[in-house]
Coordinates of all heavy atoms in Angstrom, one line a residue:
M347 N 114.2 68.4 83.2 CA 114.6 68.4 81.8 C 114.1 69.7 81.2 O 113.0 70.1 81.4 CB 113.9 67.1 81.1 CG 114.3 66.9 79.8 SD 116.0 66.3 79.6 CE 116.1 64.8 80.4
N348 N 115.0 70.3 80.5 CA 114.7 71.5 79.8 C 114.5 71.3 78.3 O 114.9 70.3 77.8 CB 115.9 72.5 79.9 CG 116.1 72.8 81.5 OD1 115.2 73.3 82.1 ND2 117.4 72.5 81.9
T349 N 113.8 72.3 77.6 CA 113.5 72.1 76.2 C 114.3 73.3 75.5 O 114.3 74.5 76.1 CB 112.0 72.2 75.9 OG1 111.4 71.3 76.7 CG2 111.8 72.2 74.5
Y350 N 114.9 72.9 74.4 CA 115.6 73.8 73.6 C 115.2 73.8 72.1 O 114.7 72.7 71.7 CB 117.2 73.6 73.7 CG 117.7 73.8 75.0 CD1 117.7 72.7 75.9 CD2 118.3 75.1 75.4 CE1 118.2 72.8 77.1 CE2 118.9 75.1 76.6 CZ 118.8 74.1 77.6 OH 119.3 74.2 78.8
M351 N 115.2 74.9 71.4 CA 114.9 74.8 70.0 C 116.3 75.1 69.3 O 116.9 76.2 69.6 CB 113.9 75.9 69.6 CG 113.6 75.9 68.1 SD 113.0 74.3 67.5 CE 111.4 74.2 68.3
A352 N 116.7 74.1 68.6 CA 118.0 74.3 67.8 C 117.5 74.8 66.4 O 116.7 74.2 65.8 CB 118.8 72.9 67.7
V353 N 118.2 75.9 66.1 CA 117.9 76.5 64.7 C 119.2 76.4 64.0 O 120.2 77.1 64.3 CB 117.4 78.0 64.8 CG1 117.1 78.5 63.4 CG2 116.1 78.1 65.7
A354 N 119.2 75.5 63.1 CA 120.5 75.2 62.3 C 120.3 75.6 60.8 O 119.3 75.5 60.3 CB 120.8 73.7 62.3
T355 N 121.4 76.2 60.3 CA 121.4 76.6 58.9 C 122.6 75.8 58.2 O 123.7 75.6 58.8 CB 121.5 78.0 58.7 OG1 122.7 78.6 59.4 CG2 120.2 78.8 59.1
F356 N 122.4 75.5 57.0 CA 123.5 74.9 56.1 C 124.6 75.9 55.9 O 124.3 77.0 55.6 CB 123.0 74.3 54.8 CG 122.2 73.1 55.1 CD1 120.9 72.9 55.0 CD2 123.0 71.8 55.2 CE1 120.1 71.7 55.2 CE2 122.3 70.6 55.4 CZ 120.9 70.6 55.4
K357 N 125.8 75.5 56.1 CA 126.9 76.3 55.8 C 127.0 76.7 54.3 O 126.5 75.8 53.5 CB 128.2 75.6 56.3 CG 128.3 75.4 57.7 CD 129.5 74.6 58.1 CE 129.5 74.2 59.6 NZ 130.6 73.3 59.9
P358 N 127.5 77.8 54.0 CA 127.6 78.2 52.6 C 128.5 77.1 51.8 O 129.4 76.5 52.3 CB 128.4 79.5 52.5 CG 128.2 80.1 54.0 CD 128.1 78.8 54.9
N359 N 128.0 76.9 50.6 CA 128.6 76.0 49.6 C 128.6 74.5 50.0 O 129.4 73.7 49.7 CB 130.1 76.4 49.4 CG 130.3 77.8 48.9 OD1 129.5 78.1 48.0 ND2 131.1 78.5 49.4
T360 N 127.5 74.2 50.9 CA 127.4 72.7 51.2 C 126.9 72.0 49.9 O 126.1 72.4 49.3 CB 126.3 72.7 52.3 OG1 126.7 73.3 53.5 CG2 125.9 71.2 52.7
N361 N 127.6 70.9 49.7 CA 127.2 70.0 48.7 C 126.1 69.2 49.1 O 126.3 68.2 50.0 CB 128.5 69.1 48.2 CG 128.1 68.3 47.1 OD1 127.1 67.7 47.0 ND2 129.2 68.0 46.3
M362 N 124.9 69.3 48.6 CA 123.8 68.6 49.1 C 123.8 67.1 48.7 O 123.2 66.3 49.3 CB 122.4 69.3 48.5 CG 122.3 70.7 49.2 SD 122.4 70.8 50.9 CE 120.8 70.2 51.4
G363 N 124.6 66.8 47.7 CA 124.8 65.4 47.4 C 125.5 64.6 48.5 O 125.1 63.5 48.8
D364 N 126.4 65.3 49.1 CA 127.1 64.8 50.3 C 126.1 64.6 51.5 O 126.1 63.6 52.1 CB 128.3 65.7 50.8 CG 129.4 65.7 49.8 OD1 129.5 64.8 49.0 OD2 130.1 66.7 49.9
V365 N 125.2 65.6 51.7 CA 124.2 65.6 52.6 C 123.3 64.4 52.4 O 123.0 63.6 53.3 CB 123.4 66.9 52.7 CG1 122.2 66.7 53.7 CG2 124.3 68.0 53.1
Q366 N 122.8 64.2 51.2 CA 121.8 63.2 50.8 C 122.4 61.8 51.1 O 121.7 60.8 51.5 CB 121.4 63.3 49.4 CG 120.6 64.4 49.2 CD 120.0 64.7 47.8 OE1 120.7 64.1 46.8 NE2 119.0 65.5 47.5
A367 N 123.7 61.6 51.0 CA 124.4 60.3 51.1 C 124.3 59.8 52.5 O 124.3 58.6 52.7 CB 125.9 60.4 50.7
V368 N 124.1 60.8 53.5 CA 124.0 60.2 54.9 C 122.6 60.3 55.6 O 122.5 60.1 56.7 CB 125.1 61.1 55.8 CG1 126.5 60.9 55.4 CG2 124.6 62.5 56.0
I369 N 121.7 60.5 54.7 CA 120.3 60.5 55.1 C 119.8 59.3 55.9 O 119.2 59.4 57.0 CB 119.3 60.9 54.0 CG1 119.5 62.4 53.6 CG2 117.9 60.7 54.4 CD1 118.6 63.0 52.5
P370 N 120.3 58.0 55.3 CA 119.8 56.9 56.1 C 120.4 56.8 57.5 O 119.8 56.5 58.5 CB 120.4 55.7 55.3 CG 120.3 56.3 53.9 CD 120.8 57.7 54.0
E371 N 121.7 57.2 57.7 CA 122.3 57.3 59.0 C 121.6 58.5 59.8 O 121.4 58.1 61.1 CB 123.8 57.9 58.8 CG 124.6 56.8 58.2 CD 126.1 57.4 58.0 OE1 126.7 57.9 59.0 OE2 126.6 57.4 56.9
E372 N 121.3 59.5 59.2 CA 120.5 60.6 60.0 C 119.2 60.1 60.5 O 118.9 60.3 61.7 CB 120.3 61.8 59.0 CG 119.6 63.0 59.6 CD 120.5 63.8 60.4 OE1 121.8 63.6 60.5 OE2 120.1 64.9 61.0
Q373 N 118.4 59.4 59.7 CA 117.2 58.9 60.1 C 117.3 57.9 61.2 O 116.6 58.0 62.1 CB 116.4 58.2 58.8 CG 116.1 59.3 57.8 CD 115.5 58.6 56.6 OE1 116.0 57.5 56.1 NE2 114.6 59.3 55.9
A374 N 118.3 57.0 61.2 CA 118.5 56.0 62.3 C 118.8 56.7 63.5 O 118.4 56.4 64.7 CB 119.7 55.1 61.8
Q375 N 119.7 57.8 63.5 CA 120.0 58.6 64.7 C 118.9 59.3 65.2 O 118.7 59.3 66.4 CB 121.2 59.5 64.4 CG 121.7 60.2 65.6 CD 122.2 59.4 66.8 OE1 122.3 58.2 66.7 NE2 122.6 60.1 67.9
V376 N 118.1 59.9 64.4 CA 116.9 60.5 64.9 C 116.0 59.6 65.5 O 115.5 59.9 66.6 CB 116.1 61.3 63.7 CG1 114.8 61.7 64.1 CG2 116.9 62.5 63.2
A377 N 115.9 58.4 65.1 CA 115.0 57.4 65.7 C 115.5 57.0 67.1 O 114.8 56.9 68.1 CB 114.9 56.1 64.9
R378 N 116.9 56.9 67.2 CA 117.5 56.6 68.5 C 117.3 57.8 69.5 O 117.0 57.5 70.7 CB 119.0 56.3 68.3 CG 119.4 54.9 67.8 CD 120.9 54.6 67.9 NE 121.6 55.4 66.9 CZ 121.9 55.1 65.6 NH1 121.3 53.9 65.1 NH2 122.6 55.9 64.8
L379 N 117.4 58.9 69.0 CA 117.3 60.1 69.9 C 115.8 60.2 70.4 O 115.5 60.6 71.4 CB 117.8 61.4 69.2 CG 119.3 61.5 69.0 CD1 119.6 62.6 68.2 CD2 120.0 61.5 70.3
R380 N 114.9 60.0 69.4 CA 113.4 60.1 69.8 C 113.2 59.0 70.8 O 112.4 59.2 71.8 CB 112.6 59.9 68.6 CG 112.5 61.2 67.8 CD 111.3 61.3 66.9 NE 111.2 62.6 66.3 CZ 111.1 62.9 65.1 NH1 111.1 61.7 64.2 NH2 111.0 64.0 64.6
S381 N 113.7 57.8 70.6 CA 113.5 56.6 71.6 C 113.9 57.0 73.0 O 113.4 56.6 74.1 CB 114.0 55.4 71.1 OG 113.4 54.9 70.1
A382 N 115.0 57.8 73.0 CA 115.6 58.2 74.3 C 115.0 59.4 74.9 O 115.3 59.9 75.9 CB 117.2 58.4 74.1
G383 N 114.0 59.9 74.2 CA 113.3 61.1 74.6 C 114.2 62.4 74.6 O 114.0 63.4 75.4
Q384 N 115.1 62.5 73.6 CA 116.1 63.6 73.6 C 115.6 64.6 72.5 O 116.2 65.6 72.5 CB 117.6 63.1 73.3 CG 118.0 62.4 74.6 CD 119.4 61.8 74.4 OE1 119.7 61.1 73.4 NE2 120.3 62.2 75.4
V385 N 114.9 64.1 71.5 CA 114.4 65.1 70.5 C 113.0 64.9 70.3 O 112.3 63.8 70.4 CB 115.1 65.0 69.1 CG1 116.6 65.4 69.3 CG2 115.0 63.6 68.5
G386 N 112.3 65.9 69.9 CA 110.9 65.9 69.5 C 110.7 66.2 68.1 O 111.2 65.6 67.2
A387 N 110.0 67.3 67.9 CA 109.7 67.7 66.5 C 110.9 68.2 65.8 O 111.7 68.8 66.3 CB 108.6 68.9 66.5
I388 N 110.9 67.9 64.5 CA 112.0 68.4 63.6 C 111.3 69.0 62.4 O 110.5 68.2 61.7 CB 113.0 67.3 63.2 CG1 113.6 66.7 64.4 CG2 114.0 67.8 62.2 CD1 114.6 65.5 64.2
H389 N 111.7 70.2 62.1 CA 111.1 70.9 60.8 C 112.1 71.3 60.0 O 113.2 71.8 60.5 CB 110.2 71.9 61.3 CG 109.0 71.6 62.1 ND1 107.9 71.0 61.6 CD2 108.9 71.6 63.4 CE1 107.0 70.7 62.6 NE2 107.7 71.1 63.7
L390 N 112.0 71.2 58.7 CA 113.0 71.6 57.7 C 112.4 72.6 56.7 O 111.3 72.2 56.1 CB 113.4 70.3 56.9 CG 114.4 70.5 55.7 CD1 115.8 71.0 56.2 CD2 114.6 69.1 55.0
S391 N 113.1 73.7 56.5 CA 112.7 74.6 55.5 C 113.8 74.6 54.4 O 114.8 75.2 54.5 CB 112.6 76.0 56.1 OG 112.4 76.9 55.0
L392 N 113.6 73.8 53.4 CA 114.6 73.7 52.2 C 114.8 75.0 51.7 O 115.9 75.3 51.2 CB 114.1 72.6 51.3 CG 114.3 71.2 51.7 CD1 113.8 70.2 50.8 CD2 115.7 70.9 52.1
A393 N 113.7 75.8 51.5 CA 113.7 77.0 50.8 C 114.8 78.0 51.6 O 115.3 78.8 50.9 CB 112.4 77.7 50.8
R394 N 114.8 77.9 52.8 CA 115.8 78.7 53.5 C 117.0 77.9 54.1 O 117.8 78.5 54.9 CB 115.0 79.4 54.8 CG 113.9 80.2 54.2 CD 113.9 81.6 54.8 NE 112.9 82.3 54.3 CZ 112.3 83.4 54.9 NH1 112.8 83.7 56.2 NH2 111.5 84.2 54.3
G395 N 117.1 76.7 53.8 CA 118.3 75.9 54.3 C 118.3 75.9 55.8 O 119.5 75.9 56.3
T396 N 117.2 75.8 56.4 CA 117.2 75.9 57.9 C 116.4 74.6 58.5 O 115.3 74.2 58.0 CB 116.4 77.2 58.4 OG1 117.1 78.3 57.8 CG2 116.5 77.3 59.9
I397 N 116.9 74.2 59.6 CA 116.3 73.0 60.3 C 116.0 73.5 61.8 O 116.8 74.3 62.3 CB 117.4 71.9 60.4 CG1 117.7 71.4 59.0 CG2 116.8 70.7 61.1 CD1 119.0 72.2 58.6
F398 N 114.8 73.1 62.2 CA 114.4 73.4 63.6 C 114.2 72.1 64.3 O 113.5 71.2 63.9 CB 113.1 74.2 63.5 CG 113.1 75.4 62.7 CD1 112.8 75.4 61.4 CD2 113.4 76.7 63.3 CE1 112.9 76.6 60.6 CE2 113.4 77.8 62.5 CZ 113.2 77.7 61.2
I399 N 115.0 71.9 65.4 CA 114.9 70.7 66.1 C 114.6 71.0 67.6 O 115.3 71.8 68.3 CB 116.3 70.0 66.0 CG1 116.7 69.8 64.7 CG2 116.3 68.7 66.8 CD1 118.2 69.4 64.5
E400 N 113.5 70.3 68.1 CA 113.1 70.4 69.5 C 114.0 69.5 70.3 O 114.1 68.2 69.9 CB 111.7 70.0 69.6 CG 111.2 70.2 71.0 CD 109.7 69.8 71.1 OE1 109.3 68.9 70.3 OE2 109.0 70.3 72.0
V401 N 114.8 70.0 71.2 CA 115.7 69.0 72.0 C 115.4 69.1 73.5 O 115.1 70.2 74.1 CB 117.2 69.6 71.8 CG1 118.2 68.8 72.4 CG2 117.5 69.8 70.3
F402 N 115.4 67.9 74.1 CA 115.2 67.8 75.5 C 116.5 67.4 76.1 O 117.1 66.4 75.8 CB 114.1 66.7 75.8 CG 112.8 66.9 75.0 CD1 112.5 66.1 74.0 CD2 112.0 68.0 75.3 CE1 111.4 66.4 73.2 CE2 110.9 68.2 74.5 CZ 110.6 67.4 73.5
A403 N 117.0 68.3 77.1 CA 118.3 68.1 77.7 C 118.3 68.8 79.1 O 117.5 69.7 79.4 CB 119.3 68.7 76.8
Q404 N 119.3 68.4 79.8 CA 119.5 68.9 81.2 C 120.0 70.4 81.1 O 119.6 71.2 81.9 CB 120.6 68.1 82.0 CG 120.1 66.7 82.4 CD 118.8 66.8 83.3 OE1 118.7 67.7 84.2 NE2 117.9 65.8 83.0
D405 N 120.9 70.6 80.1 CA 121.4 72.0 79.9 C 121.7 72.1 78.4 O 121.7 71.3 77.7 CB 122.6 72.2 80.9 CG 123.7 71.2 80.6 OD1 123.9 70.7 79.6 OD2 124.3 70.8 81.7
E406 N 122.2 73.4 78.2 CA 122.5 73.8 76.7 C 123.7 72.9 76.3 O 123.6 72.6 75.0 CB 122.8 75.2 76.6 CG 123.0 75.6 75.2 CD 122.9 77.2 74.9 OE1 122.3 77.9 75.7 OE2 123.6 77.5 74.0
A407 N 124.6 72.6 77.1 CA 125.8 71.9 76.6 C 125.4 70.4 76.1 O 125.8 69.9 75.1 CB 126.8 71.7 77.8
Q408 N 124.5 69.8 76.9 CA 123.9 68.5 76.5 C 123.1 68.7 75.2 O 123.2 67.8 74.3 CB 123.1 67.9 77.6 CG 122.6 66.5 77.3 CD 121.7 65.9 78.3 OE1 121.0 66.5 79.0 NE2 121.7 64.5 78.4
A409 N 122.3 69.7 75.1 CA 121.5 69.9 73.9 C 122.5 70.1 72.7 O 122.2 69.4 71.6 CB 120.7 71.2 74.0
V410 N 123.6 70.8 72.8 CA 124.5 70.8 71.7 C 125.1 69.5 71.4 O 125.2 69.2 70.2 CB 125.7 71.9 72.1 CG1 126.8 71.7 71.2 CG2 125.1 73.3 72.3
N411 N 125.4 68.7 72.3 CA 126.0 67.3 72.1 C 125.0 66.4 71.4 O 125.3 65.7 70.5 CB 126.4 66.8 73.4 CG 127.7 67.4 73.9 OD1 128.5 67.9 73.0 ND2 127.9 67.3 75.1
I412 N 123.7 66.6 71.7 CA 122.6 65.8 71.2 C 122.6 66.1 69.6 O 122.7 65.2 68.8 CB 121.3 66.0 71.8 CG1 121.3 65.3 73.3 CG2 120.1 65.4 71.0 CD1 120.2 65.8 74.1
V413 N 122.5 67.4 69.4 CA 122.4 67.8 67.9 C 123.7 67.5 67.2 O 123.6 67.0 66.0 CB 122.1 69.3 67.8 CG1 122.2 69.9 66.4 CG2 120.6 69.6 68.3
A414 N 124.8 67.6 67.8 CA 126.1 67.3 67.2 C 126.2 65.8 66.9 O 127.0 65.3 66.0 CB 127.2 67.7 68.0
S415 N 125.3 64.9 67.5 CA 125.4 63.4 67.2 C 124.7 63.1 65.9 O 124.8 62.0 65.4 CB 124.8 62.7 68.4 OG 123.3 62.8 68.3
L416 N 124.0 64.1 65.3 CA 123.3 63.9 64.1 C 124.4 63.9 62.9 O 125.1 65.0 62.9 CB 122.2 65.0 63.8 CG 121.1 64.9 64.9 CD1 120.2 66.1 64.7 CD2 120.3 63.6 64.5
P417 N 124.5 63.0 62.1 CA 125.4 63.0 61.0 C 125.4 64.2 60.0 O 126.5 64.7 59.7 CB 125.1 61.7 60.2 CG 124.4 60.7 61.2 CD 123.6 61.8 62.1
I418 N 124.2 64.8 59.8 CA 124.1 65.9 58.9 C 124.6 67.1 59.6 O 124.9 68.2 59.0 CB 122.7 66.0 58.3 CG1 122.4 64.9 57.4 CG2 122.6 67.3 57.4 CD1 121.1 64.8 56.8
S419 N 124.8 67.2 60.9 CA 125.0 68.4 61.7 C 126.5 68.9 61.4 O 126.8 70.1 61.5 CB 125.0 68.2 63.2 OG 126.1 67.3 63.6
R420 N 127.3 68.1 60.6 CA 128.6 68.5 60.2 C 128.6 69.7 59.2 O 129.4 70.4 59.0 CB 129.5 67.5 59.7 CG 129.0 66.9 58.4 CD 129.8 65.6 58.1 NE 129.0 64.5 58.7 CZ 129.4 63.2 58.2 NH1 130.2 62.9 57.4 NH2 128.6 62.2 58.8
W421 N 127.4 69.7 58.5 CA 127.2 70.9 57.5 C 126.3 72.0 58.0 O 126.0 72.9 57.3 CB 126.6 70.3 56.3 CG 127.4 69.3 55.6 CD1 128.5 69.6 54.8 CD2 127.3 67.8 55.6 NE1 129.0 68.5 54.2 CE2 128.3 67.4 54.7 CE3 126.4 67.0 56.1 CZ2 128.5 66.0 54.4 CZ3 126.6 65.6 55.8 CH2 127.6 65.1 55.0
W422 N 126.1 72.1 59.4 CA 125.3 73.2 59.9 C 126.1 74.1 60.7 O 127.1 73.7 61.4 CB 124.3 72.5 60.9 CG 123.3 71.6 60.2 CD1 122.8 71.6 59.0 CD2 122.5 70.7 61.0 NE1 121.8 70.7 58.9 CE2 121.6 70.1 60.0 CE3 122.5 70.2 62.3 CZ2 120.7 69.1 60.3 CZ3 121.5 69.3 62.7 CH2 120.7 68.7 61.8
T423 N 125.5 75.2 60.9 CA 125.8 76.1 62.1 C 124.5 76.3 62.9 O 123.5 76.5 62.3 CB 126.2 77.6 61.5 OG1 127.3 77.4 60.6 CG2 126.5 78.5 62.7
A424 N 124.6 76.0 64.2 CA 123.4 75.9 65.0 C 123.4 77.0 66.1 O 124.4 77.3 66.7 CB 123.2 74.6 65.5
D425 N 122.2 77.4 66.4 CA 122.0 78.3 67.5 C 121.0 77.6 68.4 O 120.1 76.9 67.9 CB 121.4 79.7 67.2 CG 122.5 80.6 66.5 OD1 123.6 80.6 67.0 OD2 122.2 81.2 65.5
F426 N 121.2 77.7 69.7 CA 120.2 77.0 70.7 C 119.5 78.1 71.5 O 120.0 79.0 72.1 CB 121.1 76.1 71.6 CG 121.6 74.9 70.7 CD1 122.8 75.2 70.0 CD2 121.0 73.7 70.7 CE1 123.3 74.1 69.3 CE2 121.6 72.7 69.9 CZ 122.6 72.9 69.2
Y427 N 118.1 77.9 71.6 CA 117.3 78.8 72.4 C 116.6 78.0 73.5 O 115.8 77.1 73.1 CB 116.2 79.4 71.4 CG 116.8 80.2 70.3 CD1 117.3 79.6 69.1 CD2 117.1 81.6 70.5 CE1 117.9 80.4 68.1 CE2 117.6 82.3 69.6 CZ 118.1 81.8 68.3 OH 118.7 82.6 67.4
P428 N 116.6 78.3 74.7 CA 115.9 77.6 75.8 C 114.4 78.1 75.6 O 114.2 79.2 75.2 CB 116.5 78.2 77.0 CG 117.4 79.3 76.7 CD 117.7 79.3 75.3
T429 N 113.4 77.2 75.6 CA 112.1 77.5 75.4 C 111.3 77.1 76.7 O 111.8 76.4 77.4 CB 111.6 76.8 74.2 OG1 111.6 75.3 74.4 CG2 112.3 77.2 72.9
S430 N 110.1 77.6 76.8 CA 109.2 77.2 77.9 C 107.9 77.1 77.3 O 107.5 77.6 76.2 CB 109.2 78.2 79.0 OG 108.9 79.5 78.5
A431 N 107.0 76.4 78.1 CA 105.6 76.3 77.7 C 105.0 77.7 77.5 O 105.2 78.5 78.4 CB 105.0 75.4 78.6
P432 N 104.0 77.8 76.6 CA 103.4 79.1 76.5 C 102.5 79.4 77.7 O 101.9 78.4 78.3 CB 102.5 79.0 75.2 CG 102.3 77.5 75.0 CD 103.6 76.9 75.6
L433 N 102.3 80.6 78.0 CA 101.4 81.0 79.2 C 99.9 80.8 78.7 O 99.6 81.3 77.6 CB 101.7 82.4 79.6 CG 103.1 82.6 80.2 CD1 103.2 84.0 80.6 CD2 103.3 81.8 81.4
I434 N 99.2 80.1 79.5 CA 97.7 80.0 79.1 C 96.9 80.8 80.2 O 97.0 80.5 81.3 CB 97.4 78.5 79.2 CG1 98.2 77.7 78.1 CG2 95.9 78.3 78.9 CD1 98.1 76.2 78.3
P435 N 96.2 81.7 79.7 CA 95.4 82.5 80.6 C 94.4 81.8 81.2 O 93.8 80.8 80.7 CB 94.8 83.7 79.7 CG 94.9 83.0 78.3 CD 96.0 82.1 78.3
K436 N 94.0 82.1 82.5 CA 93.0 81.5 83.3 C 91.6 81.8 82.6 O 91.4 83.0 82.3 CB 93.0 81.7 84.8 CG 94.2 81.2 85.4 CD 94.2 81.6 86.8 CE 95.4 81.0 87.5 NZ 95.4 81.4 89.0
V437 N 90.7 80.9 82.5 CA 89.4 81.2 82.0 C 88.7 82.1 83.0 O 88.7 81.8 84.2 CB 88.7 79.9 81.8 CG1 87.2 80.1 81.3 CG2 89.3 79.0 80.7
G438 N 88.0 83.1 82.5 CA 87.3 84.0 83.4 C 88.1 85.0 84.0 O 87.7 85.9 84.9
A439 N 89.5 85.0 83.7 CA 90.3 86.0 84.4 C 90.2 87.4 83.8 O 90.0 87.4 82.5 CB 91.8 85.6 84.4
A440 N 90.2 88.5 84.5 CA 90.0 89.7 83.9 C 91.3 90.5 83.9 O 92.2 90.4 84.5 CB 88.9 90.6 84.5

């Protein structure tokens, strides 16, 4: 399983009232995806209209499909970045 960071931004002129109307659907889908082990952390920067979603998938195509299953994604443009665990230096290494 690979990890991806989806960085999504709201499209220009998005009506946030429309977005708010599907929040209950969004929350239910996020719960399903978390239960399935397909998403982890989700962070939202309202000030920048940007969403950061940790996605667990076999490949980028599957990651795209997972994010596309979110109701609010219809108002986003998303980029996907493969990520890896940070390197941890060995203790006592010079």
Side-chain angles (χ1 to χ4, degrees):
M347 190 67 59
N348 298 307
T349 305
Y350 296 85
M351 181 59 64
V353 180
T355 54
F356 283 100
K357 295 174 184 172
N359 303 314
T360 295
N361 181 327
M362 294 311 280
D364 293 340
V365 172
Q366 290 177 346
V368 299
I369 287 175
E371 293 173 54
E372 181 82 2
Q373 291 171 329
Q375 180 63 2
V376 166
R378 283 190 289 275
L379 293 172
R380 281 200 172 127
S381 289
Q384 294 180 307
V385 296
I388 298 176
H389 299 280
L390 173 63
S391 172
L392 286 176
R394 299 229 177 155
T396 305
I397 303 92
F398 302 89
I399 305 169
E400 182 181 34
V401 184
F402 307 109
Q404 292 298 323
D405 55 34
E406 188 170 329
Q408 184 183 28
V410 169
N411 287 332
I412 290 167
V413 170
S415 77
L416 295 167
I418 294 176
S419 70
R420 71 187 89 163
W421 292 288
W422 295 337
T423 300
D425 288 315
F426 293 81
Y427 299 86
T429 60
S430 56
L433 297 177
I434 300 172
K436 292 182 181 181
V437 177

